[in-house]
């Protein structure tokens, strides 16, 4: 199932994407929650109700609705340097850099989340704006101390994240938090594709284009720490909750590591596509004078 959050006539609700149409399952069954977190909290009961409602749900051409980020997560966790090819790329440029042998986690603030086709703001305070195409996991069950072998059972599905990064702010402090968390710097979507439709998360091709030019092309098979190992590690420390998003790292081809570097500027169009999940596309715009964040 492809779960979306969409807006029609100014009202946000969850729905199911079916053959290019947004199915408004909440219009058929008022017991289906309108928010994705509430829907995921309901567990299998919610999925069954949504499945049953698809056949009779009002349908809208997806081009006529506004797709929002599929979930407004309570946590947005991001893993750094998790691809072998990316590590080799960085080692070639920075031979003195010592690569850690543990998982390197940072937070993106949840206010950085934006829709799959919404603009990315080029900050007033930096010219070093960059993209990172990434596979993202969406948690489906509240859990703690989940083993690698059990991890699949707590995943609701997968989506796409562009881990947009402000390189000078990212590198200014060890936590990376501010440089990874500017408003609009976590486009998510277009849907949460349930695990049964995605299949093996370690066998997905991730591609990024800027203005139609190929910039990233890698496979999730090259991850150092698999999706399941990431959940095992994170859940040793804290509870993962339905709707939490875990973005699993990027690989080669970021703008800052190109020779010479090529950073994003206003007007650029960034597309991130992942096999069996879909694509997101975001236009870079200068940060507005009054940057009200609207949902
Ligand atoms: Mg990243």
């Amino acid at each position: 199932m492809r779960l979306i959050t969409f807006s029609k006539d100014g009202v946000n609700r969850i729905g199911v994407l079916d053959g290019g149409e947004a199915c408004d399952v909440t219009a058929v069954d008022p017991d289906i929650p309108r928010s994705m977190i509430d829907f995921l909290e309901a567990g299998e009961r919610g999925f069954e109700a949504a499945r049953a409602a698809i056949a009779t749900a009002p349908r809208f051409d997806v081009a006529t609705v506004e797709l929002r980020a599929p979930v407004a997560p309570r946590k947005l966790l991001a893993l750094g340097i998790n691809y072998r090819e990316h590590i080799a790329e960085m080692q070639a440029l920075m031979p003195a850099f010592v690569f850690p042998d543990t998982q390197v986690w940072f937070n993106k603030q949840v206010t950085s989340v934006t829709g799959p086709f919404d603009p990315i703001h080029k900050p007033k305070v930096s010219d070093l704006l960059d993209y990172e195409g990434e596979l993202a996991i969406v948690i489906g069950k509240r859990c703690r101390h989940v083993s690698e072998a059990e991890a699949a059972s707590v995943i609701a599905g997968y989506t796409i994240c562009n881990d947009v990064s402000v390189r000078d702010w990212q590198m200014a402090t060890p936590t990376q938090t501010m440089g990874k968390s500017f408003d609009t710097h976590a486009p998510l979507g277009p849907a949460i594709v349930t695990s049964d439709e995605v299949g093996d998360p370690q066998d997905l091709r991730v591609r990024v284009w800027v203005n139609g030019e190929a910039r990233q092309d890698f496979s999730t098979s090259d991850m150092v720490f698999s999706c399941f190992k990431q959940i095992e590690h994170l859940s040793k420390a804290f509870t993962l909750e339905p709707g939490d998003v875990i973005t699993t790292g990027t690989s080669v081809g970021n703008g800052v590591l190109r020779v010479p570097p090529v950073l994003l500027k206003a007007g650029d169009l960034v597309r991130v596509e992942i096999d069996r999940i879909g694509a997101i596309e975001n236009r870079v715009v200068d940060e507005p004078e009054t940057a009200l964040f609207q949902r």
Side-chain angles (χ1 to χ4, degrees), residues 107-153:
N107 276 89
K108 285 175 83 76
Q109 302 306 297
V110 292
T111 42
S112 66
V113 171
T114 196
F117 302 101
D118 288 348
I120 293 168
H121 293 173
K122 207 288 284 179
K124 293 176 187 180
V125 294
S126 174
D127 292 323
L128 298 184
L129 182 68
D130 208 354
Y131 53 82
E132 295 187 0
E134 304 195 3
L135 173 68
I137 302 163
V138 181
I139 294 293
K141 290 195 179 113
R142 189 176 308 276
C143 59
R144 182 81 203 278
H145 293 299
V146 181
S147 70
E148 181 185 355
E150 296 164 324
S153 69

mmCIF file of all heavy atoms in Angstrom, residues 107-153:
data_model
loop_
_atom_site.group_PDB
_atom_site.id
_atom_site.type_symbol
_atom_site.label_atom_id
_atom_site.label_comp_id
_atom_site.label_asym_id
_atom_site.label_seq_id
_atom_site.Cartn_x
_atom_site.Cartn_y
_atom_site.Cartn_z
ATOM 1 N N ASN A 107 20.376 14.349 14.642
ATOM 2 C CA ASN A 107 18.962 14.687 14.478
ATOM 3 C C ASN A 107 18.806 15.753 13.410
ATOM 4 O O ASN A 107 19.587 16.702 13.371
ATOM 5 C CB ASN A 107 18.395 15.282 15.765
ATOM 6 C CG ASN A 107 17.974 14.219 16.735
ATOM 7 O OD1 ASN A 107 18.780 13.775 17.553
ATOM 8 N ND2 ASN A 107 16.744 13.788 16.651
ATOM 9 N N LYS A 108 17.794 15.588 12.592
ATOM 10 C CA LYS A 108 17.277 16.735 11.858
ATOM 11 C C LYS A 108 16.051 17.176 12.660
ATOM 12 O O LYS A 108 15.227 16.333 13.039
ATOM 13 C CB LYS A 108 16.879 16.325 10.437
ATOM 14 C CG LYS A 108 18.063 16.103 9.504
ATOM 15 C CD LYS A 108 17.638 15.593 8.146
ATOM 16 C CE LYS A 108 17.195 16.675 7.182
ATOM 17 N NZ LYS A 108 18.301 17.469 6.583
ATOM 18 N N GLN A 109 15.928 18.455 12.916
ATOM 19 C CA GLN A 109 14.759 18.920 13.661
ATOM 20 C C GLN A 109 13.505 18.666 12.820
ATOM 21 O O GLN A 109 13.531 18.804 11.591
ATOM 22 C CB GLN A 109 14.887 20.400 14.010
ATOM 23 C CG GLN A 109 16.131 20.720 14.834
ATOM 24 C CD GLN A 109 16.232 19.871 16.085
ATOM 25 O OE1 GLN A 109 15.384 19.951 16.957
ATOM 26 N NE2 GLN A 109 17.258 19.038 16.192
ATOM 27 N N VAL A 110 12.415 18.296 13.477
ATOM 28 C CA VAL A 110 11.217 17.914 12.716
ATOM 29 C C VAL A 110 10.612 19.105 11.963
ATOM 30 O O VAL A 110 9.863 18.911 11.008
ATOM 31 C CB VAL A 110 10.165 17.234 13.619
ATOM 32 C CG1 VAL A 110 10.675 15.881 14.086
ATOM 33 C CG2 VAL A 110 9.773 18.105 14.797
ATOM 34 N N THR A 111 10.968 20.320 12.372
ATOM 35 C CA THR A 111 10.481 21.497 11.639
ATOM 36 C C THR A 111 11.150 21.627 10.268
ATOM 37 O O THR A 111 10.736 22.476 9.466
ATOM 38 C CB THR A 111 10.734 22.776 12.451
ATOM 39 O OG1 THR A 111 12.033 22.696 13.029
ATOM 40 C CG2 THR A 111 9.687 22.956 13.541
ATOM 41 N N SER A 112 12.174 20.809 9.984
ATOM 42 C CA SER A 112 12.795 20.857 8.647
ATOM 43 C C SER A 112 11.996 20.064 7.613
ATOM 44 O O SER A 112 12.257 20.160 6.417
ATOM 45 C CB SER A 112 14.244 20.348 8.703
ATOM 46 O OG SER A 112 14.296 18.975 9.029
ATOM 47 N N VAL A 113 11.020 19.290 8.074
ATOM 48 C CA VAL A 113 10.241 18.444 7.151
ATOM 49 C C VAL A 113 9.372 19.299 6.230
ATOM 50 O O VAL A 113 8.728 20.253 6.671
ATOM 51 C CB VAL A 113 9.360 17.457 7.949
ATOM 52 C CG1 VAL A 113 8.379 16.734 7.021
ATOM 53 C CG2 VAL A 113 10.237 16.445 8.679
ATOM 54 N N THR A 114 9.383 18.936 4.960
ATOM 55 C CA THR A 114 8.510 19.609 4.003
ATOM 56 C C THR A 114 7.980 18.591 2.995
ATOM 57 O O THR A 114 8.372 17.426 3.014
ATOM 58 C CB THR A 114 9.248 20.790 3.329
ATOM 59 O OG1 THR A 114 8.293 21.645 2.706
ATOM 60 C CG2 THR A 114 10.257 20.322 2.304
ATOM 61 N N GLY A 115 7.087 19.034 2.133
ATOM 62 C CA GLY A 115 6.401 18.115 1.224
ATOM 63 C C GLY A 115 7.276 17.637 0.080
ATOM 64 O O GLY A 115 8.336 18.210 -0.207
ATOM 65 N N PRO A 116 6.822 16.598 -0.617
ATOM 66 C CA PRO A 116 7.630 15.972 -1.666
ATOM 67 C C PRO A 116 7.849 16.856 -2.890
ATOM 68 O O PRO A 116 8.781 16.617 -3.659
ATOM 69 C CB PRO A 116 6.831 14.720 -2.035
ATOM 70 C CG PRO A 116 5.426 14.986 -1.578
ATOM 71 C CD PRO A 116 5.549 15.879 -0.383
ATOM 72 N N PHE A 117 6.991 17.892 -3.062
ATOM 73 C CA PHE A 117 7.148 18.781 -4.218
ATOM 74 C C PHE A 117 7.192 20.252 -3.790
ATOM 75 O O PHE A 117 6.939 21.144 -4.590
ATOM 76 C CB PHE A 117 6.017 18.521 -5.226
ATOM 77 C CG PHE A 117 5.990 17.082 -5.679
ATOM 78 C CD1 PHE A 117 5.069 16.184 -5.151
ATOM 79 C CD2 PHE A 117 6.931 16.617 -6.581
ATOM 80 C CE1 PHE A 117 5.072 14.845 -5.535
ATOM 81 C CE2 PHE A 117 6.956 15.281 -6.972
ATOM 82 C CZ PHE A 117 6.024 14.394 -6.444
ATOM 83 N N ASP A 118 7.497 20.475 -2.518
ATOM 84 C CA ASP A 118 7.558 21.836 -1.988
ATOM 85 C C ASP A 118 8.958 22.438 -2.191
ATOM 86 O O ASP A 118 9.933 21.713 -2.366
ATOM 87 C CB ASP A 118 7.212 21.835 -0.491
ATOM 88 C CG ASP A 118 5.729 21.577 -0.259
ATOM 89 O OD1 ASP A 118 4.957 21.629 -1.233
ATOM 90 O OD2 ASP A 118 5.341 21.308 0.886
ATOM 91 N N PRO A 119 9.057 23.767 -2.128
ATOM 92 C CA PRO A 119 10.364 24.384 -2.343
ATOM 93 C C PRO A 119 11.349 24.134 -1.198
ATOM 94 O O PRO A 119 10.952 23.949 -0.047
ATOM 95 C CB PRO A 119 10.049 25.883 -2.448
ATOM 96 C CG PRO A 119 8.621 26.060 -2.166
ATOM 97 C CD PRO A 119 7.970 24.733 -1.979
ATOM 98 N N ILE A 120 12.623 24.127 -1.558
ATOM 99 C CA ILE A 120 13.729 24.097 -0.584
ATOM 100 C C ILE A 120 14.266 25.530 -0.505
ATOM 101 O O ILE A 120 14.532 26.150 -1.544
ATOM 102 C CB ILE A 120 14.864 23.174 -1.088
ATOM 103 C CG1 ILE A 120 14.428 21.709 -1.120
ATOM 104 C CG2 ILE A 120 16.131 23.364 -0.255
ATOM 105 C CD1 ILE A 120 15.401 20.788 -1.870
ATOM 106 N N HIS A 121 14.427 26.024 0.707
ATOM 107 C CA HIS A 121 14.936 27.387 0.860
ATOM 108 C C HIS A 121 16.461 27.422 0.799
ATOM 109 O O HIS A 121 17.131 26.689 1.533
ATOM 110 C CB HIS A 121 14.494 27.984 2.203
ATOM 111 C CG HIS A 121 13.017 28.204 2.292
ATOM 112 N ND1 HIS A 121 12.394 28.596 3.458
ATOM 113 C CD2 HIS A 121 12.031 28.108 1.350
ATOM 114 C CE1 HIS A 121 11.087 28.712 3.237
ATOM 115 N NE2 HIS A 121 10.847 28.414 1.973
ATOM 116 N N LYS A 122 16.981 28.303 -0.055
ATOM 117 C CA LYS A 122 18.422 28.599 -0.046
ATOM 118 C C LYS A 122 18.609 29.630 1.062
ATOM 119 O O LYS A 122 18.092 30.742 0.975
ATOM 120 C CB LYS A 122 18.835 29.169 -1.414
ATOM 121 C CG LYS A 122 20.281 28.935 -1.784
ATOM 122 C CD LYS A 122 21.277 29.773 -1.002
ATOM 123 C CE LYS A 122 21.342 31.213 -1.450
ATOM 124 N NZ LYS A 122 22.320 32.002 -0.631
ATOM 125 N N PRO A 123 19.322 29.259 2.149
ATOM 126 C CA PRO A 123 19.375 30.152 3.310
ATOM 127 C C PRO A 123 20.009 31.497 2.990
ATOM 128 O O PRO A 123 20.884 31.596 2.146
ATOM 129 C CB PRO A 123 20.242 29.393 4.308
ATOM 130 C CG PRO A 123 20.269 27.985 3.847
ATOM 131 C CD PRO A 123 20.092 28.031 2.360
ATOM 132 N N LYS A 124 19.542 32.496 3.751
ATOM 133 C CA LYS A 124 20.172 33.820 3.646
ATOM 134 C C LYS A 124 21.618 33.771 4.126
ATOM 135 O O LYS A 124 22.450 34.538 3.671
ATOM 136 C CB LYS A 124 19.418 34.819 4.542
ATOM 137 C CG LYS A 124 18.021 35.116 4.088
ATOM 138 C CD LYS A 124 17.326 36.040 5.089
ATOM 139 C CE LYS A 124 15.870 36.188 4.699
ATOM 140 N NZ LYS A 124 15.116 37.050 5.598
ATOM 141 N N VAL A 125 21.905 32.847 5.064
ATOM 142 C CA VAL A 125 23.187 32.893 5.780
ATOM 143 C C VAL A 125 24.248 31.978 5.174
ATOM 144 O O VAL A 125 25.341 31.848 5.736
ATOM 145 C CB VAL A 125 22.983 32.528 7.274
ATOM 146 C CG1 VAL A 125 22.144 33.585 7.972
ATOM 147 C CG2 VAL A 125 22.362 31.138 7.418
ATOM 148 N N SER A 126 23.955 31.330 4.059
ATOM 149 C CA SER A 126 24.959 30.419 3.491
ATOM 150 C C SER A 126 24.759 30.263 1.999
ATOM 151 O O SER A 126 23.632 30.313 1.484
ATOM 152 C CB SER A 126 24.851 29.042 4.153
ATOM 153 O OG SER A 126 25.724 28.121 3.505
ATOM 154 N N ASP A 127 25.874 30.013 1.292
ATOM 155 C CA ASP A 127 25.820 29.666 -0.128
ATOM 156 C C ASP A 127 26.179 28.199 -0.340
ATOM 157 O O ASP A 127 26.304 27.743 -1.474
ATOM 158 C CB ASP A 127 26.791 30.551 -0.931
ATOM 159 C CG ASP A 127 26.339 32.000 -0.948
ATOM 160 O OD1 ASP A 127 25.119 32.249 -1.020
ATOM 161 O OD2 ASP A 127 27.211 32.889 -0.855
ATOM 162 N N LEU A 128 26.395 27.454 0.758
ATOM 163 C CA LEU A 128 26.861 26.066 0.624
ATOM 164 C C LEU A 128 25.717 25.071 0.840
ATOM 165 O O LEU A 128 25.733 24.242 1.747
ATOM 166 C CB LEU A 128 28.019 25.802 1.598
ATOM 167 C CG LEU A 128 29.271 26.660 1.381
ATOM 168 C CD1 LEU A 128 30.390 26.237 2.335
ATOM 169 C CD2 LEU A 128 29.772 26.571 -0.060
ATOM 170 N N LEU A 129 24.717 25.173 -0.033
ATOM 171 C CA LEU A 129 23.522 24.327 0.062
ATOM 172 C C LEU A 129 23.706 23.085 -0.814
ATOM 173 O O LEU A 129 24.111 23.186 -1.969
ATOM 174 C CB LEU A 129 22.314 25.138 -0.420
ATOM 175 C CG LEU A 129 20.956 24.446 -0.366
ATOM 176 C CD1 LEU A 129 20.524 24.230 1.086
ATOM 177 C CD2 LEU A 129 19.910 25.274 -1.107
ATOM 178 N N ASP A 130 23.394 21.916 -0.245
ATOM 179 C CA ASP A 130 23.683 20.663 -0.959
ATOM 180 C C ASP A 130 22.542 19.664 -0.759
ATOM 181 O O ASP A 130 21.739 19.782 0.168
ATOM 182 C CB ASP A 130 24.994 20.079 -0.405
ATOM 183 C CG ASP A 130 25.745 19.225 -1.420
ATOM 184 O OD1 ASP A 130 25.228 18.965 -2.518
ATOM 185 O OD2 ASP A 130 26.877 18.821 -1.090
ATOM 186 N N TYR A 131 22.513 18.670 -1.625
ATOM 187 C CA TYR A 131 21.492 17.615 -1.583
ATOM 188 C C TYR A 131 22.124 16.305 -1.101
ATOM 189 O O TYR A 131 23.337 16.110 -1.218
ATOM 190 C CB TYR A 131 20.928 17.396 -2.998
ATOM 191 C CG TYR A 131 22.031 17.144 -3.998
ATOM 192 C CD1 TYR A 131 22.607 15.885 -4.160
ATOM 193 C CD2 TYR A 131 22.574 18.199 -4.738
ATOM 194 C CE1 TYR A 131 23.669 15.679 -5.020
ATOM 195 C CE2 TYR A 131 23.631 17.990 -5.599
ATOM 196 C CZ TYR A 131 24.182 16.738 -5.733
ATOM 197 O OH TYR A 131 25.253 16.543 -6.563
ATOM 198 N N GLU A 132 21.317 15.417 -0.543
ATOM 199 C CA GLU A 132 21.729 14.046 -0.246
ATOM 200 C C GLU A 132 20.505 13.158 -0.443
ATOM 201 O O GLU A 132 19.573 13.177 0.374
ATOM 202 C CB GLU A 132 22.239 13.911 1.205
ATOM 203 C CG GLU A 132 23.509 14.702 1.485
ATOM 204 C CD GLU A 132 24.107 14.434 2.870
ATOM 205 O OE1 GLU A 132 23.533 13.626 3.647
ATOM 206 O OE2 GLU A 132 25.154 15.033 3.163
ATOM 207 N N GLY A 133 20.491 12.388 -1.501
ATOM 208 C CA GLY A 133 19.383 11.457 -1.735
ATOM 209 C C GLY A 133 19.485 10.267 -0.789
ATOM 210 O O GLY A 133 20.556 9.682 -0.651
ATOM 211 N N GLU A 134 18.356 9.936 -0.119
ATOM 212 C CA GLU A 134 18.416 8.874 0.892
ATOM 213 C C GLU A 134 17.121 8.061 0.967
ATOM 214 O O GLU A 134 16.018 8.594 0.836
ATOM 215 C CB GLU A 134 18.690 9.484 2.280
ATOM 216 C CG GLU A 134 19.955 10.333 2.285
ATOM 217 C CD GLU A 134 20.487 10.684 3.663
ATOM 218 O OE1 GLU A 134 19.910 10.217 4.671
ATOM 219 O OE2 GLU A 134 21.496 11.416 3.707
ATOM 220 N N LEU A 135 17.291 6.780 1.236
ATOM 221 C CA LEU A 135 16.178 5.914 1.607
ATOM 222 C C LEU A 135 15.826 6.191 3.065
ATOM 223 O O LEU A 135 16.725 6.260 3.917
ATOM 224 C CB LEU A 135 16.595 4.443 1.466
ATOM 225 C CG LEU A 135 15.584 3.414 1.989
ATOM 226 C CD1 LEU A 135 14.324 3.389 1.141
ATOM 227 C CD2 LEU A 135 16.228 2.023 2.051
ATOM 228 N N ALA A 136 14.542 6.359 3.365
ATOM 229 C CA ALA A 136 14.116 6.609 4.748
ATOM 230 C C ALA A 136 13.144 5.521 5.204
ATOM 231 O O ALA A 136 12.287 5.077 4.438
ATOM 232 C CB ALA A 136 13.469 7.986 4.864
ATOM 233 N N ILE A 137 13.331 5.120 6.455
ATOM 234 C CA ILE A 137 12.466 4.111 7.088
ATOM 235 C C ILE A 137 11.396 4.848 7.886
ATOM 236 O O ILE A 137 11.699 5.840 8.547
ATOM 237 C CB ILE A 137 13.302 3.269 8.087
ATOM 238 C CG1 ILE A 137 14.474 2.582 7.389
ATOM 239 C CG2 ILE A 137 12.432 2.265 8.832
ATOM 240 C CD1 ILE A 137 15.546 2.092 8.366
ATOM 241 N N VAL A 138 10.163 4.332 7.859
ATOM 242 C CA VAL A 138 9.113 4.875 8.732
ATOM 243 C C VAL A 138 8.716 3.782 9.728
ATOM 244 O O VAL A 138 8.338 2.672 9.331
ATOM 245 C CB VAL A 138 7.881 5.342 7.932
ATOM 246 C CG1 VAL A 138 6.831 5.920 8.876
ATOM 247 C CG2 VAL A 138 8.282 6.363 6.877
ATOM 248 N N ILE A 139 8.846 4.101 10.996
ATOM 249 C CA ILE A 139 8.548 3.131 12.060
ATOM 250 C C ILE A 139 7.025 2.958 12.189
ATOM 251 O O ILE A 139 6.269 3.931 12.107
ATOM 252 C CB ILE A 139 9.157 3.615 13.394
ATOM 253 C CG1 ILE A 139 10.691 3.608 13.310
ATOM 254 C CG2 ILE A 139 8.671 2.772 14.587
ATOM 255 C CD1 ILE A 139 11.326 2.236 13.182
ATOM 256 N N GLY A 140 6.610 1.706 12.406
ATOM 257 C CA GLY A 140 5.182 1.415 12.521
ATOM 258 C C GLY A 140 4.735 0.996 13.908
ATOM 259 O O GLY A 140 3.534 1.005 14.200
ATOM 260 N N LYS A 141 5.704 0.598 14.763
ATOM 261 C CA LYS A 141 5.325 0.110 16.098
ATOM 262 C C LYS A 141 6.219 0.727 17.166
ATOM 263 O O LYS A 141 7.428 0.848 16.967
ATOM 264 C CB LYS A 141 5.511 -1.412 16.176
ATOM 265 C CG LYS A 141 4.526 -2.209 15.367
ATOM 266 C CD LYS A 141 4.548 -3.683 15.794
ATOM 267 C CE LYS A 141 3.535 -4.479 14.992
ATOM 268 N NZ LYS A 141 4.148 -5.454 14.096
ATOM 269 N N ARG A 142 5.600 1.073 18.288
ATOM 270 C CA ARG A 142 6.386 1.537 19.426
ATOM 271 C C ARG A 142 7.285 0.386 19.882
ATOM 272 O O ARG A 142 6.812 -0.750 20.056
ATOM 273 C CB ARG A 142 5.433 1.933 20.556
ATOM 274 C CG ARG A 142 6.061 2.642 21.738
ATOM 275 C CD ARG A 142 4.969 3.050 22.732
ATOM 276 N NE ARG A 142 3.911 3.793 22.036
ATOM 277 C CZ ARG A 142 3.951 5.103 21.781
ATOM 278 N NH1 ARG A 142 4.953 5.825 22.218
ATOM 279 N NH2 ARG A 142 2.968 5.681 21.123
ATOM 280 N N CYS A 143 8.571 0.651 20.029
ATOM 281 C CA CYS A 143 9.467 -0.479 20.305
ATOM 282 C C CYS A 143 10.747 -0.041 20.998
ATOM 283 O O CYS A 143 11.139 1.123 20.943
ATOM 284 C CB CYS A 143 9.815 -1.187 18.998
ATOM 285 S SG CYS A 143 10.618 -0.124 17.780
ATOM 286 N N ARG A 144 11.373 -0.989 21.643
ATOM 287 C CA ARG A 144 12.650 -0.771 22.332
ATOM 288 C C ARG A 144 13.388 -2.097 22.293
ATOM 289 O O ARG A 144 12.778 -3.160 22.353
ATOM 290 C CB ARG A 144 12.348 -0.329 23.782
ATOM 291 C CG ARG A 144 13.552 -0.008 24.632
ATOM 292 C CD ARG A 144 14.082 1.391 24.376
ATOM 293 N NE ARG A 144 15.488 1.475 24.759
ATOM 294 C CZ ARG A 144 15.925 1.671 25.991
ATOM 295 N NH1 ARG A 144 15.072 1.862 26.968
ATOM 296 N NH2 ARG A 144 17.214 1.702 26.259
ATOM 297 N N HIS A 145 14.705 -2.056 22.243
ATOM 298 C CA HIS A 145 15.556 -3.259 22.224
ATOM 299 C C HIS A 145 15.098 -4.263 21.171
ATOM 300 O O HIS A 145 14.775 -5.409 21.464
ATOM 301 C CB HIS A 145 15.602 -3.907 23.618
ATOM 302 C CG HIS A 145 16.308 -3.052 24.630
ATOM 303 N ND1 HIS A 145 17.633 -2.689 24.492
ATOM 304 C CD2 HIS A 145 15.866 -2.472 25.765
ATOM 305 C CE1 HIS A 145 17.984 -1.917 25.520
ATOM 306 N NE2 HIS A 145 16.929 -1.766 26.299
ATOM 307 N N VAL A 146 15.072 -3.781 19.946
ATOM 308 C CA VAL A 146 14.666 -4.613 18.809
ATOM 309 C C VAL A 146 15.935 -5.226 18.207
ATOM 310 O O VAL A 146 16.884 -4.507 17.903
ATOM 311 C CB VAL A 146 13.970 -3.750 17.733
ATOM 312 C CG1 VAL A 146 13.527 -4.597 16.566
ATOM 313 C CG2 VAL A 146 12.791 -2.993 18.342
ATOM 314 N N SER A 147 15.944 -6.530 18.035
ATOM 315 C CA SER A 147 17.124 -7.156 17.422
ATOM 316 C C SER A 147 17.083 -6.943 15.909
ATOM 317 O O SER A 147 16.028 -6.633 15.330
ATOM 318 C CB SER A 147 17.148 -8.652 17.731
ATOM 319 O OG SER A 147 16.100 -9.285 17.016
ATOM 320 N N GLU A 148 18.243 -7.139 15.279
ATOM 321 C CA GLU A 148 18.306 -7.041 13.816
ATOM 322 C C GLU A 148 17.278 -7.992 13.187
ATOM 323 O O GLU A 148 16.590 -7.637 12.225
ATOM 324 C CB GLU A 148 19.726 -7.393 13.364
ATOM 325 C CG GLU A 148 19.938 -7.314 11.881
ATOM 326 C CD GLU A 148 21.334 -7.788 11.459
ATOM 327 O OE1 GLU A 148 22.170 -8.085 12.345
ATOM 328 O OE2 GLU A 148 21.570 -7.868 10.247
ATOM 329 N N ALA A 149 17.143 -9.184 13.767
ATOM 330 C CA ALA A 149 16.225 -10.191 13.207
ATOM 331 C C ALA A 149 14.757 -9.777 13.344
ATOM 332 O O ALA A 149 13.923 -10.159 12.522
ATOM 333 C CB ALA A 149 16.452 -11.541 13.889
ATOM 334 N N GLU A 150 14.445 -8.971 14.370
ATOM 335 C CA GLU A 150 13.054 -8.548 14.593
ATOM 336 C C GLU A 150 12.718 -7.225 13.910
ATOM 337 O O GLU A 150 11.543 -6.814 13.894
ATOM 338 C CB GLU A 150 12.803 -8.329 16.096
ATOM 339 C CG GLU A 150 12.923 -9.563 16.968
ATOM 340 C CD GLU A 150 13.048 -9.192 18.453
ATOM 341 O OE1 GLU A 150 13.684 -8.163 18.776
ATOM 342 O OE2 GLU A 150 12.505 -9.944 19.272
ATOM 343 N N ALA A 151 13.732 -6.532 13.384
ATOM 344 C CA ALA A 151 13.554 -5.135 12.972
ATOM 345 C C ALA A 151 12.485 -4.966 11.890
ATOM 346 O O ALA A 151 11.736 -3.979 11.903
ATOM 347 C CB ALA A 151 14.878 -4.547 12.508
ATOM 348 N N ALA A 152 12.396 -5.927 10.972
ATOM 349 C CA ALA A 152 11.405 -5.781 9.883
ATOM 350 C C ALA A 152 9.996 -5.627 10.443
ATOM 351 O O ALA A 152 9.159 -4.930 9.848
ATOM 352 C CB ALA A 152 11.482 -6.990 8.952
ATOM 353 N N SER A 153 9.740 -6.244 11.596
ATOM 354 C CA SER A 153 8.375 -6.252 12.141
ATOM 355 C C SER A 153 7.963 -4.895 12.726
ATOM 356 O O SER A 153 6.780 -4.690 12.992
ATOM 357 C CB SER A 153 8.244 -7.341 13.208
ATOM 358 O OG SER A 153 8.992 -6.991 14.357
#
